[in-house]
Amino acid sequence: MANKFGIPEKVEQKIRRRDRRCVYCRKRMIYPCSGNNRRDWATIEHFRESGPFYWADGLNGLKEEDLAICCLSCNSSRGKKGLLIWFKSQYCIDRNRNINEQTVAKPVKEYIERMKK
């Protein structure tokens, strides 16, 4: 497995094919991650704000529906904040990003719906 979270390569490739743009800000990302513009690198995003963060953690471990690809800039800004709390942050509001429940990609919207149940 090529990633530090133990996500099977087949699953990682599937989400990378699905998420060609950042699931939050929708900008095109750089993959594989190289070059000087690090904020545009494609990174693995965990929707859960608390663990487990590893595929091998059994039934309670990561699942495909907990994962997406986002830019390093959004991933770093969110950190461990809950999605709905993060959407209210200056990062999401400022600089014409307008990141919120309505503007994010489908995998994020689906995760939010599951979270609300």
Side-chain angles (χ1 to χ4, degrees):
M1 288 172 226
N3 61 70
K4 64 183 179 181
F5 307 107
I7 301 164
E9 186 175 339
K10 187 176 179 179
V11 173
E12 181 180 352
Q13 292 308 316
K14 182 178 176 183
I15 62 173
R16 285 190 185 280
R17 280 191 303 275
R18 179 194 70 200
D19 303 335
R20 293 293 193 181
R21 292 181 172 267
C22 176
V23 294
Y24 298 125
C25 71
R26 312 300 282 160
K27 72 178 164 189
R28 288 202 180 273
M29 298 173 291
I30 300 169
Y31 182 79
C33 299
S34 62
N36 293 331
N37 201 1
R38 292 187 63 205
R39 66 179 183 253
D40 293 340
W41 288 6
T43 63
I44 296 172
E45 167 69 323
H46 305 85
F47 293 134
R48 294 180 180 183
E49 55 264 20
S50 60
F53 296 116
Y54 300 95
W55 196 268
D57 288 339
L59 293 175
N60 294 322
L62 278 178
K63 294 178 179 44
E64 189 173 332
E65 61 266 17
D66 297 330
L67 301 168
I69 304 297
C70 71
C71 69
L72 181 63
S73 184
C74 285
N75 202 339
S76 295
S77 171
R78 179 170 173 231
K80 293 183 180 181
K81 296 176 198 86
L83 282 169
L84 301 179
I85 293 169
W86 180 60
F87 291 157
K88 295 175 185 174
S89 73
Q90 285 304 120
Y91 177 88
C92 292
I93 296 167
D94 283 353
R95 291 180 270 170
N96 300 321
R97 280 193 188 88
N98 197 27
I99 299 170
N100 60 56
E101 281 185 74
Q102 289 74 45
T103 63
V104 294
K106 184 178 177 181
V108 185
K109 290 177 182 178
E110 290 172 350
Y111 180 80
I112 292 168
E113 284 303 312
R114 284 192 307 277
M115 184 176 69
K116 288 180 177 178
K117 291 181 182 179

